[in-house]
């Protein structure tokens, strides 16, 4: 969509016009996530980094499971938002399906599942064009070039149903 991208030694960022802010695109803060990159990360100036796959695996194994679940959920939410910011429908769909699977794992996060389904379903009856739905500040039926309702039907609901 023509948004500027910025890559620094501390991470990669995309400008989000709707937020009037830079959105992080990299995995740095989510190194405890199940889905964190296994690639060797270069050291970050001032400390940290430089960790290879074996060290990352050892760190994950020593992390309490509830903490790992929270970090993984936050990481997936971040990847969904990054894919939406970049307008990458394929990545958005992939991470959204993983997010639904993550939320459905026992103990299921019912509030987040309901929030996700509501956002994708949108209003049950589409309002007239002048009501704001689909316009400024209203519900938009598409994200990253994909229909939200198709994502709900084809990716999210099947992912939620696999853990029941």
């Amino acid at each position: 969509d023509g948004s500027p991208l910025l890559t620094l030694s501390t991470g990669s960022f995309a400008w989000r016009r709707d937020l009037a802010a830079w959105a992080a695109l990299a995995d740095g803060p989510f190194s405890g996530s199940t889905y964190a990159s296994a690639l060797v990360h270069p050291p970050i100036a001032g400390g940290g980094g430089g960790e290879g796959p074996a060290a990352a695996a050892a760190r994950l194994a020593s992390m309490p499971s509830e903490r790992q679940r929270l970090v993984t959920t936050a990481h997936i939410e971040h990847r969904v938002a990054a894919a939406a910011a970049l307008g990458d429908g394929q990545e958005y769909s992939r991470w959204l399906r993983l997010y639904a699977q993550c939320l459905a794992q026992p103990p299921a996060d019912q509030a987040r599942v309901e929030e996700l389904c509501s956002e994708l379903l949108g209003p049950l009856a589409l309002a007239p064009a002048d009501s704001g739905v689909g316009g400024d500040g209203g519900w938009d039926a598409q994200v990253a070039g994909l229909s939200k309702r198709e994502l709900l039907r084809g990716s999210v609901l099947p992912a939620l149903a696999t853990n029941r």
Side-chain angles (χ1 to χ4, degrees):
D1 72 348
S3 296
L5 296 176
L6 178 64
T7 302
L8 306 169
S9 62
T10 56
S12 298
F13 306 88
W15 179 254
R16 291 282 310 264
R17 289 184 198 127
D18 57 333
L19 299 174
W22 290 96
L25 301 176
D27 294 345
F30 304 110
S31 60
S33 169
T34 303
Y35 297 103
S37 174
L39 299 174
V40 176
H41 299 287
I44 296 173
E51 178 178 81
R59 186 179 23 74
L60 281 175
S62 67
M63 183 180 285
S65 61
E66 184 56 28
R67 169 106 174 106
Q68 186 174 358
R69 177 184 164 110
L70 292 172
V71 170
T72 296
T73 302
H75 179 215
I76 295 172
E77 288 172 340
H78 181 268
R79 301 309 309 155
V80 168
L86 294 173
D88 188 335
Q90 185 176 1
E91 281 294 299
Y92 185 87
S93 179
R94 174 179 175 259
W95 286 106
L96 187 68
R97 182 179 38 78
L98 289 171
Y99 183 54
Q101 289 173 344
C102 181
L103 294 180
Q105 293 295 321
D109 190 336
Q110 185 175 349
R112 283 187 178 169
V113 169
E114 289 175 4
E115 178 184 17
L116 173 62
C117 291
S118 286
E119 171 56 29
L120 295 174
L121 182 60
L124 296 178
L126 291 177
D130 61 349
S131 70
V133 174
D136 295 335
W139 182 75
D140 190 352
Q142 299 233 336
V143 61
L146 303 171
S147 164
K148 287 182 178 179
R149 290 182 177 168
E150 284 300 318
L151 287 167
L152 177 64
R153 181 180 13 257
S155 295
V156 173
L157 293 178
L160 292 173
T162 60
N163 293 312
R164 297 290 169 208

